[in-house]
Amino acid sequence: MQNIYDLSYTDLENYFLKKGDKKFKGQQVFEWLYRKRVTSFEEMTNLKKEVIALLKEEFEMRTINITKVEKDTDVRKYLFTLKDQEKIEAVLMNHLYGNSLCISTQVGCNMGCKFCESGRLKKVRNLEVHEMIEQILMVEEDCGKRISHVVVMGIGEPFDNYDHLIKFIEIVNHSKGIALGSRHITVSTCGIVPKIKEFMNLPYQVNLAISLHAPNNEIRNQIMPINHVYPIEILMDTLKEYIKKTNRRVTFEYILLDSINDTEECARELAQLVKGMNCYINLIPYNETNNISYKRTKSFNISRFYDILKKNRINVTIRREYGSNISAACGQLRSKKED
Ligand code: SAH
């Protein structure tokens, strides 16, 4: 059975047109779902009984359940169980500027980044559009607050589930629904070049973040297998094209791993690599995981790395850390199968 949250505003309008009904019904249903947040078709009281009956027959609504919520200062980690019993996670962070939710896009991940726990479980399947939408709805209902920012940086590679991702963005961005401004949505990718090219042609002003993590192919090949397919020079050329086309700034995420990519030489090489680009670098202290091959860089090295980038006039920030006590930090999601 189709899920109602898989349908965009236009899909709903077309659905009613196809049934020989008024396009306007699409808007009504959309508003019930996202403005009034009903959880059953019966609650859509301005629709005729026959219409409600039809919707009930053809669509399902909520499918995901909150299984566990872990809390830490300013952060909550949600474990969800999906209809087929698979598990995913989302992380809510309270910032001064609002509440930001980090959502998952896949069950498992196939990108195989060596340092990331989420990728240790191979991809089981892509999430459906409704499963991404439902993460937002469920968390807002649970915490009683409005989510102001969505970061697509949880489990999975969003550009490996591209079509669903784009539909998801269309729905959350729509002014008659959740109405999250596109500048409040960030998609993070390990660098799937053909999808970055498609993405730059879309009308949305969504933020793009790139998991770079190394200043050259030699190091990147060791830690991110995707680099064998789309090496750094191709990735950078594509991003320059992206910036030119969209006039938007790109974020580079760079995890500092002890003795691997945290040297002075790496910092200088990184500065050279991004020089002149409209971008900023977000330095991420590595969250240690069960994988003993990688250690967090010493805090001395974080400031040294930062200073070198600053001296080269690169925009750089150090990411504030959230949730490491409850394994909700980047790369720590769903590391234990028994959850
Ligand atoms: N697949 C996407 C989104 C998920 S990963 C991507 O690669 O961007 C989200 C971010 O967390 C990425 O930048 C990833 O490299 C980073 N990350 C993974 N493991 C981490 C760890 N142990 N500590 C800190 N950041 C980590």
Side-chain angles (χ1 to χ4, degrees):
M1 198 192 270
Q2 230 198 328
N3 191 290
I4 195 88
Y5 298 108
D6 278 340
L7 274 60
S8 66
Y9 186 84
T10 333
D11 293 339
L12 276 168
E13 286 188 331
N14 290 336
Y15 170 79
F16 282 105
L17 282 177
K18 253 202 202 133
K19 296 278 175 196
D21 208 329
K22 301 246 161 44
K23 192 169 149 182
F24 178 67
K25 294 257 166 64
Q27 177 176 336
Q28 288 181 319
V29 171
F30 199 78
E31 288 179 346
W32 279 117
L33 294 174
Y34 298 108
R35 282 279 163 87
K36 297 165 197 142
R37 300 289 171 94
V38 299
T39 53
S40 72
F41 292 110
E42 283 86 356
E43 290 165 81
M44 301 183 174
T45 46
N46 60 356
L47 300 181
K48 288 208 191 80
K49 279 216 175 66
E50 307 85 79
V51 177
I52 293 179
L54 180 72
L55 290 173
K56 269 178 81 171
E57 200 181 293
E58 300 200 345
F59 296 102
E60 60 179 9
M61 288 186 80
R62 302 293 177 94
T63 60
I64 80 172
N65 287 304
I66 297 178
T67 302
K68 196 157 96 188
V69 186
E70 288 174 80
K71 296 178 189 170
D72 199 348
T73 325
D74 292 337
V75 54
R76 282 186 194 194
K77 179 167 77 163
Y78 288 88
L79 178 73
F80 294 104
T81 305
L82 310 178
K83 208 176 157 191
D84 59 1
Q85 302 308 309
E86 292 294 346
K87 306 272 200 293
I88 52 158
E89 290 179 332
V91 179
L92 174 70
M93 289 157 282
N94 303 120
H95 301 278
L96 287 174
Y97 58 79
N99 301 303
S100 131
L101 186 69
C102 174
I103 67 149
S104 295
T105 52
Q106 297 179 320
V107 177
C109 179
N110 270 349
M111 298 302 120
C113 299
K114 296 287 194 300
F115 47 81
C116 179
E117 279 294 285
S118 304
R120 276 153 63 115
L121 302 173
K122 285 273 148 268
K123 174 169 110 178
V124 177
R125 66 174 178 85
N126 283 331
L127 291 192
E128 299 297 329
V129 177
H130 69 87
E131 291 168 321
M132 297 189 232
I133 300 277
E134 284 180 82
Q135 293 174 58
I136 301 180
L137 303 179
M138 299 294 283
V139 170
E140 285 197 338
E141 281 158 27
D142 180 77
C143 73
K145 291 180 195 143
R146 176 153 156 64
I147 286 162
S148 57
H149 293 73
V150 166
V151 291
V152 188
M153 281 192 197
I155 302 164
E157 166 50 47
F159 281 177
D160 186 35
N161 187 9
Y162 187 79
D163 294 345
H164 290 172
L165 170 77
I166 301 309
K167 190 62 142 317
F168 165 80
I169 293 173
E170 186 186 339
I171 296 173
V172 272
N173 181 236
H174 199 282
S175 60
K176 296 220 161 29
I178 300 176
L180 266 189
S182 42
R183 289 191 170 77
H184 289 211
I185 303 170
T186 302
V187 174
S188 175
T189 176
C190 63
I192 303 190
V193 163
K195 296 297 169 195
I196 300 175
K197 292 193 179 194
E198 278 186 52
F199 198 62
M200 70 174 92
N201 289 313
L202 294 181
Y204 306 108
Q205 301 279 298
V206 171
N207 302 312
L208 181 66
I210 305 291
S211 294
L212 188 62
H213 309 324
N216 59 45
N217 285 326
E218 198 192 326
I219 302 177
R220 203 164 190 261
N221 280 342
Q222 281 170 33
I223 56 178
M224 298 180 69
I226 191 72
N227 199 65
H228 293 286
V229 189
Y230 307 114
I232 284 196
E233 56 284 2
I234 295 190
L235 177 61
M236 295 317 257
D237 281 350
T238 309
L239 292 171
K240 284 175 189 157
E241 206 182 317
Y242 172 94
I243 294 166
K244 200 165 160 206
K245 181 131 210 181
T246 61
N247 218 356
R248 300 193 53 73
R249 186 163 78 165
V250 165
T251 302
F252 289 109
E253 294 153 278
Y254 195 102
I255 303 175
L256 288 162
L257 300 162
D258 185 37
S259 310
I260 292 182
N261 63 0
D262 62 345
T263 60
E264 286 180 51
E265 200 188 338
C266 283
R268 280 194 289 271
E269 211 176 337
L270 179 62
Q272 276 312 310
L273 186 69
V274 304
K275 204 158 214 144
M277 280 173 89
N278 182 14
C279 71
Y280 89 89
I281 295 179
N282 198 200
L283 296 177
I284 309 174
Y286 178 62
N287 300 310
E288 291 190 0
T289 64
N290 294 334
N291 188 340
I292 48 155
S293 323
Y294 300 101
K295 290 254 165 305
R296 169 192 281 255
T297 193
K298 293 165 199 70
S299 48
F300 165 78
N301 289 339
I302 302 181
S303 14
R304 182 182 64 184
F305 207 92
Y306 177 90
D307 290 343
I308 294 174
L309 291 175
K310 271 274 174 212
K311 251 186 224 138
N312 281 276
R313 303 220 176 97
I314 307 293
N315 300 313
V316 54
T317 50
I318 299 172
R319 180 179 286 178
R320 177 182 160 195
E321 292 180 81
Y322 281 94
S324 48
N325 292 338
I326 53 171
S327 293
C330 298
Q332 296 186 316
L333 295 181
R334 185 134 159 76
S335 52
K336 294 185 226 83
K337 187 113 193 148
E338 67 272 20
D339 266 347

